[in-house]
Structures are given as structure tokens and as C-alpha cells.
Amino acid sequence: MRNTRRITLCGVITALACALMYIGAATDIFSLTASVISAFAVLFVYIEYGLGTGLMVYAATSIISLLICPEKFAALLFLVYVGYYPILKIRIEKIKNRVLVWAIKLISFNIVLAASLAISKYILLVEYDAFYIEAATIIVANAAFVLADILATRMIYLYIRKYRQILKKSGFVK
């Protein structure tokens, strides 16, 4: 019975994340936000059911989103970094040294950002008018990443301290 509940809940969460990704892709304004909100679904599953189940929800959401989204940006963003970042975040934050934690987070993000910029510049042939536009993109992306990480930390705290108890009482999680 416990596995049935977990599989059902993970299926519903995956469907919800994919629906958000589709809405984000269809509206074209909501795509980045849809990726981040869908990543919180992976975070919830990882906290409740562990690494394996969290990775399965991440993989299922990534594959289904790539198949159904009319505009692939949100799905690719989720696949490349945003989808598995909550799992990576919790794993990295087990390190006691806060400076090292932030260094690892920023390095992992900037590796993906640099790869994305290189692909857009050299494979997709996207041209930037000037160097400062590319530099501004990197600065704004890093600032957004730091803010998103702080938001994720607060969401984890809020979920564990408040909403997890409510879900346990209602029988959604054990």
C-alpha cells in the first residue's frame, strides 16, 4: 500500500510539473518561472521519498516536457540544470563550510551557464552586439541564481517546519 501511495503521488506531481512546463512554454512569458516551480516538485519528492524517487520524477518531468512543450526553452532549462538543482543543493549543503558551499554552488551554476552561452554563440550562432551585453547576462544570471537559492532554502524550511506536518496529518505523506 505504501508503494502505491508513493507511485500515485509522484505521478500526480510529475503531471503537475509537466502541466506547468507546458503552460510556461505556451505563454512564453512564464517559461523560466515554470521551470523553477517544477523544480520545487522534485524537491518535495526528494525530501519525502529520497534520492532515487526524486531522480525518477526529475527524469520523467524532463522527458515528458521535452515531448509535449511547444517551445523547448523551459524544458531544456529544466533538463540541463534547474530540475536536478534542488537535489544537488541539499547534498552540497551538508558541507559545514558555508564559503565552500557557496563556491561549489556558484561554480556548478557558472559551468552550466558558460556551456549554454558557448552553445548559443558557437552552435546556434547567436551574436551579441557587444561584450558588455554578454557580461551583463552573466551578472544578472548569477544574481538570479543566488536569489533563487535563497528562495529555495526558505521554501525547504517552510515546508519542513509547517506544511509537512499538515500533509502527514492528512495522509498524503508518511
Side-chain angles (χ1 to χ4, degrees):
M1 180 69 169
R2 187 172 187 272
N3 282 336
T4 304
R5 182 182 309 237
R6 178 175 55 178
I7 291 168
T8 304
L9 184 60
C10 291
V12 169
I13 288 172
T14 301
L16 178 63
C18 291
L20 283 170
M21 298 287 279
Y22 184 84
I23 291 168
T27 59
D28 201 32
I29 296 172
F30 186 58
S31 59
L32 180 60
T33 308
S35 294
V36 173
I37 292 171
S38 296
F40 285 121
V42 174
L43 175 66
F44 166 76
V45 171
Y46 175 64
I47 289 172
E48 290 303 326
Y49 299 115
L51 179 64
T53 309
L55 288 174
M56 290 302 290
V57 169
Y58 158 71
T61 303
S62 297
I63 292 167
I64 294 168
S65 295
L66 282 170
L67 292 173
I68 67 169
C69 288
E71 209 284 321
K72 305 297 184 204
F73 176 73
L76 284 172
L77 186 64
F78 186 85
L79 173 71
V80 171
Y81 193 72
V82 175
Y84 68 84
Y85 179 71
I87 295 171
L88 184 66
K89 173 185 175 46
I90 292 175
R91 296 260 192 206
I92 291 171
E93 289 180 349
K94 290 181 180 178
I95 299 170
K96 299 294 182 206
N97 185 339
R98 291 289 139 211
V99 174
L100 183 60
V101 166
W102 275 104
I104 293 170
K105 288 178 184 180
L106 287 169
I107 288 169
S108 71
F109 174 73
N110 281 296
I111 288 171
V112 173
L113 180 61
S116 300
L117 288 173
I119 288 169
S120 69
K121 190 173 188 176
Y122 298 113
I123 295 174
L124 300 176
L125 303 175
V126 175
E127 293 186 27
Y128 296 100
D129 292 335
F131 172 76
Y132 64 87
I133 293 176
E134 194 170 350
T137 301
I138 293 169
I139 292 168
V140 169
N142 275 278
F145 171 74
V146 169
L147 290 174
D149 185 81
I150 293 168
L151 173 66
T153 301
R154 291 183 180 183
M155 292 292 291
I156 292 168
Y157 179 81
L158 184 65
Y159 171 71
I160 290 174
R161 298 286 182 209
K162 186 174 182 181
Y163 295 112
R164 189 177 202 188
Q165 305 307 322
I166 294 168
L167 291 175
K168 281 185 178 185
K169 285 179 185 177
S170 64
F172 280 107
V173 295
K174 191 164 185 173

